[in-house]
Amino acid sequence: MLDGMFSLVLLDTRDNSFIVARDAIGITSLYIGWGLDGSIWISSELKGLNDDCEHFECFPPGHLYSSKEGVLRRWYNPPWFSEAVPSTPYDPLLLRQALENAVIKRLMTDVPFGVLLSGGLDSSLVAAITARHLGGTKAARQWGAQLHSFCVGLEGSPDLKAAREVAAYLGTVHHEFHFTVQDGIDAIEDVIYHIETYDVTTIRASTPMFLMSRKIKSLGVKMVISGEGSDEVFGGYLYFHKAPNKEEFHRETCRKIKALHQYDCLRANKATSAWGLEARVPFLDKEFINVAMAIDPEWKMIKPEQGRIEKWVLRRAFDDEERPYLPKHILYRQKEQFSDGVGYSWIDGLKEHAAQNVTDRMMQNAAHIFPHNTPTSKEAYYYRMIFERLFPQNSARLTVPGGASVACSTAKAIEWDASWSGNLDPSGRAALGVHLSAYGQQHVPSVSAGMEPQEIIRDDIPRMMEAGAHGLAIPS
C-alpha cells in the first residue's frame, strides 16, 4: 500500500456493510455520493457519480466512512495537523535519510518506470536519489539499471534546458517532449474533462503534464516518480518570501498540505491516470512529512541576507561536497511553478486565447452566470464555461476550491503583502519583487547566492531521446 498512498474499501459479505478509507494526504482522488434511493456511491472520478447521485462531494483525505455509522471520521491525525508550531532543531542528515527512504520505498515495482524531471530542485533530487539507489533492486534486475527521465516544455523553455543538464549529470536516458501553445489550447477541453476542475493554476499545469503522460505511456512506461508536495512541506512557493514570522509560515504550509488533494495531487493523479500511468510522490510519504513538518519553521524561513533561499533546509540537506547529488546551480535554482517552467509563453498564450473567446460583456455578467466562485478573469471564465458544460450539477462545481490567490498562495497569505491584492494571478511570476522573471521585469538567469551566472544548456548532451523516438530499450 506504499504507506497509505491508496484508498481502501472493505466489504463484510455477512451483512453487506462496508468501510471506505481514503489515503492520508489525498494523493489519489476519491468522491462519495448519495443516490435518491439512499444508496452510497464511491468513485475516483466525478463522472462516475453525476448520473446516479442526487448529491456528491469530495471524500476528504485521511477520513473513513462506515456504512453502519453513516458518518465520515478522521483516521489520520499527525502532530502537524493541529498547526501547532514545532520546535525540533534542524537535522540535515535526518531529513536527507527520510527522503531517501521515501524514494527507495517507491522503487518497489514490477512494471517499466521512470522519473519526471523538470530540472527544478524537487524532481532533480528525486531523480538523483532514484539513480543512486536503483542498482541492485528487483526493478533494476528486471528492467535495467539505467534510469529513464521525462520532461515536457515549449521550445527553449527553462525546464527543458535545466532537465537536460541534470539528465546528463545523472546519466539517465532522457526523453524530451515538445508541445506548442496551440497543442495545449487544443487539449484544454480534454484536460478539464479528465482533471475535473476549473481552477486556473491546476488547468495551466495539468495540460503539459497530460500531453506528456500520453507520450510516456506510448513508450511502454507504466509508473513515474514525481516531485509534488515539496513546496507545500517546505514553503517553496515564492510568496513565502513575504511570510511575516515563523508562526504564519508554518500555518501556511499546513494549510497548503491539507489542500493538496484539490490542486497538485489532483493534477498529478488525474493527468497521468487519464492515460493509465501511475504517479508516485515520495515527498508526500507520511514518515517523511512527519520529519519535515517537525522542524522548527525558523529554519524554513527565507532569509536572503543569510543566503537562505526558498527550501533552504532541503537544499542544504543534499549539499554533499564528497558525493554531490546535483550540480550546485541546480541545487540552488529558483523555484519555477510547473505551468511557468514549461515556457512563459504558455500562460501568456492561454490568456490571449481566453480573451478571444470571452467578451467584456460576459465578464460584466459573470456574477449572475456563476454566483459560486465567480470567475475574476477571462481565462477563469473560459475554463468555467467548459467545466459547466461537462459537469452541470451543482455538486460538481462545489468540489472545486475558490478564493483569491497570488503565486499559488492561499487567500490568507495574501494579507502578507498589500501590493498583492491588486495582482491576483496564481503564476509564480505574480510574486512581484521575488520572481526573477516577474511580470513587468526582464528575465535574467537564476543565480544562487554567492555563485556566478552559468549557462545551463549544452548542445552535446548524450543519451538524449527526442519526442517521437522509438520505444524504450528495456530488457525483457
Side-chain angles (χ1 to χ4, degrees):
M1 292 294 289
L2 288 182
D3 196 30
M5 175 177 168
F6 302 107
S7 300
L8 179 69
V9 179
L10 297 176
L11 173 67
D12 188 336
T13 56
R14 294 171 299 181
D15 57 5
N16 286 329
S17 62
F18 62 89
I19 294 176
V20 181
R22 186 174 181 186
D23 69 284
I25 303 297
I27 297 171
T28 54
S29 301
L30 199 67
Y31 302 91
I32 183 171
W34 291 265
L36 287 171
D37 59 356
S39 57
I40 304 295
W41 296 69
I42 303 294
S43 175
S44 60
E45 297 185 346
L46 286 178
K47 59 185 71 71
L49 302 176
N50 55 12
D51 291 334
D52 299 288
C53 296
E54 178 186 25
H55 171 73
F56 51 87
E57 60 190 48
C58 178
F59 195 115
H63 283 70
L64 59 82
Y65 177 89
S66 168
S67 61
K68 290 183 177 180
E69 298 178 2
V71 294
L72 288 161
R73 182 161 49 86
R74 168 165 287 279
W75 65 265
Y76 179 57
N77 286 292
W80 60 266
F81 201 85
S82 69
E83 302 184 10
V85 179
S87 58
T88 303
Y90 168 53
D91 184 338
L93 294 181
L94 177 64
L95 186 64
R96 181 198 297 184
Q97 188 61 57
L99 183 58
E100 289 195 322
N101 290 343
V103 173
I104 293 169
K105 185 186 300 182
R106 282 153 182 81
L107 295 181
M108 295 187 297
T109 182
D110 56 1
V111 299
F113 79 101
V115 294
L116 301 185
L117 179 60
S118 71
L121 174 67
D122 308 327
S123 65
S124 297
L125 279 179
V126 168
I129 297 169
T130 302
R132 184 168 292 197
H133 294 281
L134 180 58
T137 64
K138 179 182 176 182
R141 293 192 296 271
Q142 188 171 4
W143 305 110
Q146 191 171 24
L147 182 64
H148 290 262
S149 56
F150 307 94
C151 185
V152 66
L154 303 176
E155 288 277 4
S157 68
D159 280 1
L160 292 182
K161 296 177 183 179
R164 287 179 202 159
E165 185 178 20
V166 175
Y169 183 83
L170 299 177
T172 69
V173 179
H174 191 55
H175 307 261
E176 183 175 289
F177 304 119
H178 300 160
F179 77 104
T180 65
V181 172
Q182 190 59 51
D183 291 334
I185 289 172
D186 291 342
I188 288 293
E189 184 161 334
D190 287 339
V191 168
I192 293 175
Y193 174 78
H194 286 286
I195 309 302
E196 301 179 319
T197 187
Y198 51 83
D199 175 69
V200 170
T201 309
T202 305
I203 294 171
R204 287 176 176 178
S206 294
T207 304
M209 194 170 192
F210 178 82
L211 296 172
M212 175 174 59
S213 296
R214 181 180 183 180
K215 296 280 191 178
I216 293 174
K217 184 60 185 293
S218 72
L219 295 175
V221 173
K222 296 184 178 180
M223 184 271 283
V224 289
I225 304 177
S226 189
E228 277 78 16
S230 173
D231 291 312
E232 287 74 16
V233 172
F234 294 104
Y237 293 106
L238 297 184
Y239 72 89
F240 276 93
H241 280 249
K242 301 289 187 175
N245 52 59
K246 71 176 187 179
E247 291 80 12
E248 277 298 303
F249 189 106
H250 179 72
R251 294 188 190 106
E252 177 70 359
T253 61
C254 293
R255 290 191 292 264
K256 291 292 292 182
I257 296 174
K258 292 175 184 178
L260 266 169
H261 67 288
Q262 297 175 306
Y263 296 102
D264 283 30
C265 285
L266 184 78
R267 166 181 56 79
N269 174 52
K270 291 186 176 180
T272 53
S273 61
W275 301 106
L277 187 66
E278 177 194 352
R280 296 183 180 177
V281 283
F283 279 108
L284 297 181
D285 179 90
K286 296 207 304 293
E287 294 179 7
F288 175 75
I289 291 178
N290 287 342
V291 170
M293 292 300 289
I295 298 172
D296 186 332
E298 181 66 29
W299 289 96
K300 296 181 181 180
M301 291 282 287
I302 300 165
K303 299 182 177 181
E305 69 279 3
Q306 299 179 22
R308 284 164 50 176
I309 62 174
E310 66 274 358
K311 292 185 286 193
W312 179 84
V313 292
L314 181 62
R315 301 174 196 271
R316 180 66 184 86
F318 285 88
D319 194 349
D320 190 327
E321 296 289 348
E322 296 182 1
R323 294 186 64 206
Y325 285 81
L326 294 168
K328 285 276 190 180
H329 57 288
I330 295 293
L331 191 62
Y332 290 94
R333 182 190 180 200
Q334 187 183 60
K335 162 69 183 173
E336 287 281 13
Q337 290 169 203
F338 184 55
S339 54
D340 285 328
V342 297
Y344 297 136
S345 60
W346 166 233
I347 292 177
D348 298 336
L350 285 174
K351 291 181 176 180
E352 291 174 7
H353 179 73
Q356 295 170 5
N357 288 271
V358 178
T359 66
D360 293 340
R361 176 65 64 87
M362 294 165 71
M363 288 301 300
Q364 290 172 4
N365 295 321
H368 301 290
I369 304 299
F370 304 116
H372 176 73
N373 283 347
T374 303
T376 57
S377 69
K378 290 186 176 182
E379 185 185 3
Y381 195 108
Y382 179 68
Y383 300 152
R384 186 64 175 274
M385 287 193 302
I386 298 174
F387 181 89
E388 294 282 345
R389 175 160 45 82
L390 296 172
F391 306 101
Q393 301 84 355
N394 186 54
S395 291
R397 67 179 65 98
L398 293 177
T399 64
V400 181
S405 176
V406 59
C408 283
S409 75
T410 66
K412 179 67 175 176
I414 293 175
E415 300 173 5
W416 295 351
D417 191 313
S419 67
W420 285 348
S421 60
N423 190 52
L424 298 177
D425 189 286
S427 167
R429 287 184 291 160
L432 301 179
V434 177
H435 195 289
L436 296 177
S437 296
Y439 292 129
Q441 297 179 12
Q442 183 179 359
H443 176 59
V444 295
S446 175
V447 182
S448 60
M451 296 179 60
E452 294 295 323
Q454 300 186 41
E455 179 62 36
I456 59 173
I457 180 171
R458 287 168 31 200
D459 295 326
D460 58 342
I461 302 271
R463 290 177 291 272
M464 187 71 187
M465 296 179 68
E466 294 285 346
H470 297 294
L472 302 186
I474 299 177
S476 59

